[in-house]
Amino acid sequence: MAFKHGVYTREVPTSLIPVVQMEAGLPVIVGTAPVFMKDAANVNKPVLCYSYDEAVNAFGYSDDWEKYTLCEFIYSQFALYGMSPCVLINVFDPSKHKEITPLTNYEITDKKINLGQDVIINAGLIFEAENNYELDKDYSLAYDSEGNAIFSVITGGKLANLTSCRISVTKAKLSTVTASDIIGGIDIADGSYKGLELVNEVFPKFRIVPGLIAAPGYSEFPEVAAVMRAKAENINGIFTGQAVIDIPCGSSGAPNYSQVPEWKNRNNYMAERQFVCWPKIKLGDKVYHLSTQLIGVMNTTDKARGDIPYKSPSNELLQMDSCVNDLGDEINLGLEQANYLNSQGIVTALNWVGGWRVWGNRTGCYPANTDVKDAFIPIRRMFDFISNQFILTFWQKVDEPLTIRLIRTIISSFDMYLNSLQAVDAILGGRVEFIESENAIINLMDGKLTLHIFMTPPSPAEDIEGIFEYDPEYINELFEAMRS
């Protein structure tokens, strides 16, 4: 040791570590978008969006939500609920999911031709063999506000005096996008991720943990819902989230409420990290998957409570005016019918007191699994949320010397965090313990430390009962009043 003479200082690590702040329910949505209108490179690529304009500039927009499912979520999340951010993943590939139409004769009106929607402009046009019209010399192409491809004749070009033109276009063919595209996987050729496998790229890329995974229009396929559940249970090998899924309400699904539980059980929508929705909902002329708006409601509810997901989305307002199925029928559920669905682990919509609201607190595992931490949506979300917080906060302590100081630092820091949650009623109480029976000497020698976190998020007050009884003793008040 060097010889010292004078005054010196040194620092030691702080004994309390602030808990990392994170988004409680970051939505990660997998689907299809008209990227050929904006950025065709946004295929199988997670994009973080904080506003409606940002999402539309990245993916384009169309009101045809049956084809372009991400557009439904973009409109709902930003226009109806004003919630951000979200991560959007488009699997529609304009270079793959396309078709070339036959040569068709189009009338030129006011020097323009409306080629219709779904036209991939960047793929170019095909004219009759003898015509070699040139882009930006004889004609120009652009999309209008409704997504139509507009062919405009340029003055002085070869088309200037024509009244019609035979054109073949390349169109998006969304029917070729399948459940397999949504599920995705790892490309053997280059090792790139696709579809739902891209959920694992969200945290490394944006440093936000995925919270709510959805695929409106595709989660109705059991194989997609199963993969969504698997991803929610194991994000990057350490984090957990939830999958928000729909039961189909068409002829191949469950168009009537009485058919929904049987379809749910038969297709195994039965996991604690699956929030199962039925039916679709409507506002004006627009039809939404209930999963889409449920995410908006959960995000709104979380934000109102400090971004802590301890409040159930049930009995919170939806942006809707009716329930519908895929057959075009309006669905009118009474309280008994809605409660029956709830009793089978299904979230629905109910117009009862205070307008249309989310109705249902139970996850997909209910009633087969009644463990409170698995069966209630807010408690399941709180366990995942606090677990993810624990991982993010103490990752910085991995590979530190396993000493009593390390153990006390972790316990003190997380106890303080749990106390802060208790102070705002997010939990009823919580503590961290270092239990000898859970930490065998051989494990501690091998660098394995186990801490036991006890916590109790509040259950939703799902059933409030008032007992009323006629008490004849109050009749005596009449006599008391007469004596006074």
Side-chain angles (χ1 to χ4, degrees):
M1 181 180 294
F3 176 80
K4 290 186 176 182
H5 184 185
V7 178
Y8 304 89
T9 65
R10 64 188 180 94
E11 295 181 358
V12 296
T14 306
S15 58
L16 290 176
I17 302 173
V19 172
V20 173
Q21 299 300 310
M22 59 171 282
E23 296 285 341
L26 174 71
V28 179
I29 315 300
V30 183
T32 53
V35 289
F36 53 85
M37 297 176 63
K38 290 293 183 179
D39 188 351
N42 283 329
V43 178
N44 282 306
K45 175 183 175 183
V47 179
L48 181 66
C49 298
Y50 278 87
S51 70
Y52 179 87
D53 288 343
E54 189 176 3
V56 171
N57 286 333
F59 294 98
Y61 181 82
S62 170
D63 281 325
D64 192 343
W65 294 349
E66 287 191 14
K67 290 181 179 178
Y68 303 109
T69 59
L70 288 184
C71 295
E72 174 190 330
F73 185 83
I74 290 170
Y75 187 88
S76 175
Q77 192 74 354
F78 293 116
L80 295 186
Y81 289 95
M83 288 289 106
S84 69
C86 63
V87 173
L88 305 175
I89 300 170
N90 164 62
V91 303
F92 165 67
D93 187 346
S95 67
K96 174 184 174 184
H97 305 114
K98 64 181 181 179
E99 63 180 345
I100 299 175
T101 65
L103 280 167
T104 303
N105 191 66
Y106 292 92
E107 297 294 326
I108 300 174
T109 304
D110 295 329
K111 295 190 178 299
K112 295 183 184 299
I113 298 174
N114 186 340
L115 297 174
Q117 297 183 337
D118 302 328
V119 176
I120 303 173
I121 285 178
N122 289 338
L125 305 180
I126 300 173
F127 301 96
E128 288 181 301
E130 65 273 16
N131 297 321
N132 57 343
Y133 304 127
E134 297 181 43
L135 179 65
D136 296 330
K137 183 176 180 182
D138 300 309
Y139 68 94
S140 63
L141 290 169
Y143 294 108
D144 66 10
S145 59
E146 296 179 353
N148 296 298
I150 304 300
F151 178 102
S152 300
V153 174
I154 295 177
T155 302
K158 297 176 184 177
L159 289 154
N161 298 318
L162 298 183
T163 58
S164 66
C165 184
R166 287 174 60 79
I167 304 172
S168 172
V169 301
T170 300
K171 281 196 168 187
K173 191 175 183 181
L174 275 298
S175 61
T176 59
V177 178
T178 66
S180 295
D181 293 300
I182 299 295
I183 292 169
I186 301 175
D187 193 310
I188 297 175
D190 58 12
S192 62
Y193 290 174
K194 297 182 184 299
L196 283 164
E197 198 64 34
L198 286 161
V199 171
N200 281 338
E201 284 194 359
V202 173
F203 180 75
K205 193 170 185 178
F206 305 117
R207 290 297 183 268
I208 309 176
V209 178
L212 302 168
I213 301 170
Y218 292 97
S219 65
E220 299 172 356
F221 295 101
E223 60 269 35
V224 173
V227 174
M228 290 172 64
R229 180 198 67 198
K231 297 310 300 180
E233 291 172 349
N234 186 358
I235 302 170
N236 298 114
I238 53 174
F239 301 119
T240 50
Q242 303 88 38
V244 189
I245 60 180
D246 295 285
I247 288 177
C249 51
S251 56
S252 62
N256 185 280
Y257 86 94
S258 62
Q259 302 167 318
V260 178
E262 190 274 335
W263 195 99
K264 171 182 179 277
N265 292 341
R266 175 162 45 87
N267 291 281
N268 201 31
Y269 284 37
M270 302 286 289
E272 63 269 21
R273 288 189 174 87
Q274 288 179 324
F275 303 163
V276 185
C277 302
W278 185 91
K280 290 183 177 178
I281 59 177
K282 190 175 182 181
L283 180 63
D285 295 328
K286 297 183 184 297
V287 177
Y288 302 79
H289 293 86
L290 181 53
S291 65
T292 295
Q293 286 210 26
L294 179 59
I295 289 175
V297 171
M298 284 192 283
N299 286 166
T300 302
T301 304
D302 295 348
K303 291 290 185 184
R305 290 161 179 81
D307 203 28
I308 306 172
Y310 66 95
K311 166 67 173 71
S312 172
S314 187
N315 209 19
E316 298 291 336
L317 281 169
L318 288 160
Q319 301 292 333
M320 60 177 291
D321 52 35
S322 62
C323 287
V324 294
N325 63 23
D326 283 339
L327 305 180
D329 303 322
E330 186 169 319
I331 297 172
N332 295 300
L333 294 177
L335 181 60
E336 291 181 341
Q337 290 90 352
N339 284 349
Y340 168 65
L341 293 177
N342 291 173
S343 74
Q344 301 302 307
I346 297 156
V347 178
T348 189
L350 180 66
N351 186 16
W352 193 250
V353 176
W356 283 100
R357 294 174 181 264
V358 176
W359 199 248
N361 294 300
R362 305 288 181 163
T363 69
C365 74
Y366 190 81
N369 179 357
T370 58
D371 187 332
V372 66
K373 76 174 178 64
D374 295 327
F376 274 127
I377 288 175
I379 297 182
R380 178 67 268 157
R381 294 189 69 206
M382 282 296 287
F383 265 79
D384 290 334
F385 173 70
I386 295 175
S387 172
N388 291 340
Q389 293 276 35
F390 184 86
I391 293 167
L392 290 172
T393 299
F394 299 114
W395 193 268
Q396 61 190 295
K397 292 299 182 182
V398 171
D399 297 329
E400 288 289 314
L402 206 170
T403 63
I404 190 63
R405 180 182 179 86
L406 174 67
I407 296 170
R408 284 174 174 167
T409 295
I410 295 175
I411 291 176
S412 299
S413 299
F414 215 64
D415 270 342
M416 183 174 291
Y417 172 64
L418 293 174
N419 289 340
S420 73
L421 293 179
Q422 183 178 359
V424 296
D425 292 331
I427 61 173
L428 302 181
R431 69 187 187 278
V432 186
E433 292 187 6
F434 175 58
I435 300 174
E436 186 173 351
S437 63
E438 295 176 347
N439 288 273
I441 291 176
I442 192 71
N443 288 338
L444 292 171
M445 290 171 61
D446 200 32
K448 295 178 173 61
L449 169 64
T450 299
L451 296 172
H452 199 126
I453 295 93
F454 297 85
M455 61 178 181
T456 307
S459 299
E462 189 175 66
D463 183 355
I464 301 173
E465 181 179 14
I467 298 176
F468 290 78
E469 180 181 351
Y470 182 90
D471 189 347
E473 290 295 322
Y474 288 109
I475 295 293
N476 292 323
E477 295 291 329
L478 298 175
F479 300 106
E480 293 294 331
M482 293 300 295
R483 294 191 193 102
S484 61

